[in-house]
Amino acid sequence: MGHFSSMFNGLARSFSIKKVKNNNGNCDAKEAADEMANEAKKKELILKSSGYVNAQGSNNLASVFSKRGEKGVNQDCALVWEGFGCQEDMIFCGIFDGHGPWGHYVAKQVRNSMPSSLLCNWQKILAKATLEPELDLEGSNKKLSRFDIWKQSYLKTCATVDQELEHHRKIDAYYSGTTALTIVRQGEVIYVANVGDSRAVLATVSDEGSLVAVQLTLDFKPNLPQEKERIIGCKGRVFCLEDEPGVHRVWQPDAETPGLAMSRAFGDYCIKEYGLVSVPEVNQRHISTKDHFIILASDGIWDVISNKEAIEIVSSTAERPKAAKRLVEQAVRAWKKKRRGFSMDDMSVVCLFLHSSSSSSLSQHHHATTLK
């Protein structure tokens, strides 16, 4: 567990916290966690007010773009936060795709609350693992890995965010909700957490030397066997409308509502007791020199663009900061050809480049930004 101690000591040093020894000879982890929690709150205020959270000296690069569809207000929003947790080697990215009458408010609320909540939970669990290295969260004799810490942090965060949303005084999320697809990059490891049907795709070089697409997440649709089994087990229903063959939706037991086309989401409390959950699927991947970039995008993109097409569009974009916008523009063209007669969905993209570039045009791009 030595790597946890050094990790936490590094976090403490970033806040110039004096190392205070406790009875066990460990750092005062609670003090460090409290200081970092306060810093996260400050960043959250910046996020809500100005839309920018700047990290100086970071080498990470990201491109972000969102476009309103033809169904009204843009219910998508996105986030890129470099220097996440005040760590130079950490970055947080997210895509949030709202739906329902209050969907745009729900998406923004989850976007605004998730990063600081995740950071606080991660710091607390990390501190516990540092002070009690032989105990996991349930008190059993099992050591926590870095992945375990991030997974537990995400599970706790998503449960808290969804509970707080349900009791929000100004947002009615009974018939509205949002997806949340987020990535934390920590050094050379990425942690991916997905709630809903947005998708993350990695562009990497195959053994044959060609650029290939690797899907990192599962689109949580109601017809997936494990999802459908859970929904039906909770007395919910899953079926397609006659004029929408192939589009499976979740329905209440005795009413033709709400017809949600995903099996996991924040909000949508009208069907939370009938099998809809906000539990994230959490995975990790160690970044190699063959991995080039990751695309996070809402389902409006993937409805008309394949994984392979997406990575080809991004990789062929000369200036990285323009990559997300170019992918959205190509998706708009594809929608008009492939889905003529259907109202175009909102489209949002985050492109996270995994290795720095020497291009001067890239260094001028914002280190951290949010959309909507």
Side-chain angles (χ1 to χ4, degrees), residues 14-73:
S14 70
F15 287 87
S16 300
I17 296 175
K18 182 180 179 181
K19 293 182 181 179
V20 181
K21 300 292 183 179
N22 62 18
N23 293 333
N24 297 321
N26 292 313
C27 288
D28 186 351
K30 184 179 185 304
E31 182 181 354
D34 289 344
E35 287 293 326
M36 288 182 287
N38 290 335
E39 186 68 16
K41 292 296 183 183
K42 293 178 185 177
K43 291 293 177 67
E44 184 180 7
L45 291 175
I46 296 172
L47 175 65
K48 290 179 179 178
S49 59
S50 68
Y52 291 94
V53 181
N54 292 304
Q56 300 302 324
S58 173
N59 292 321
N60 288 305
L61 293 167
S63 174
V64 193
F65 191 77
S66 182
K67 181 177 176 60
R68 180 176 64 86
E70 299 171 335
K71 301 178 181 179
V73 65

Side-chain angles (χ1 to χ4, degrees), residues 117 149 165 202:
S117 179
I149 290 176
L165 179 65
L202 169 73

Side-chain angles (χ1 to χ4, degrees), residues 123-144:
Q123 289 155 358
K124 290 176 182 177
I125 296 173
L126 178 59
K128 181 178 177 64
T130 305
L131 295 173
E132 303 176 53
E134 299 302 321
L135 298 179
D136 72 0
L137 297 182
E138 284 72 44
S140 63
N141 188 20
K142 174 187 173 184
K143 293 183 179 180
L144 287 173

Side-chain angles (χ1 to χ4, degrees), residues 1-11 87 89-90 118 121-122 125-126 129-130 137 142-154 184-192 282-286:
M1 295 299 291
H3 64 287
F4 287 146
S5 296
S6 60
M7 190 192 314
F8 199 89
N9 289 346
L11 289 170
Q87 299 302 292
D89 69 340
M90 282 177 62
L118 177 65
N121 284 320
W122 174 68
I125 296 173
L126 178 59
T130 305
L137 297 182
K142 174 187 173 184
K143 293 183 179 180
L144 287 173
S145 67
R146 285 195 185 194
F147 174 69
D148 292 328
I149 290 176
W150 278 111
K151 183 174 181 179
Q152 294 297 333
S153 301
Y154 260 115
V184 172
R185 176 177 180 173
Q186 183 181 32
E188 297 308 305
V189 183
I190 56 171
Y191 304 94
V192 187
V282 185
N283 296 304
Q284 70 172 347
R285 181 183 177 92
H286 292 266

Side-chain angles (χ1 to χ4, degrees), residues 157-226:
T157 294
C158 290
T160 300
V161 169
D162 199 45
Q163 185 178 32
E164 291 176 349
L165 179 65
E166 184 177 12
H167 299 99
H168 199 287
R169 294 180 181 181
K170 298 182 179 179
I171 298 177
D172 183 358
Y174 191 72
Y175 288 109
S176 300
T178 187
T179 70
L181 168 60
T182 63
I183 283 182
V184 172
R185 176 177 180 173
Q186 183 181 32
E188 297 308 305
V189 183
I190 56 171
Y191 304 94
V192 187
N194 186 36
V195 176
D197 60 357
S198 297
R199 184 186 304 172
V201 174
L202 169 73
T204 190
V205 178
S206 68
D207 293 337
E208 290 74 33
S210 60
L211 195 66
V212 295
V214 177
Q215 188 167 320
L216 300 178
T217 56
L218 193 62
D219 300 344
F220 282 111
K221 302 292 189 180
N223 59 314
L224 290 176
Q226 71 273 22

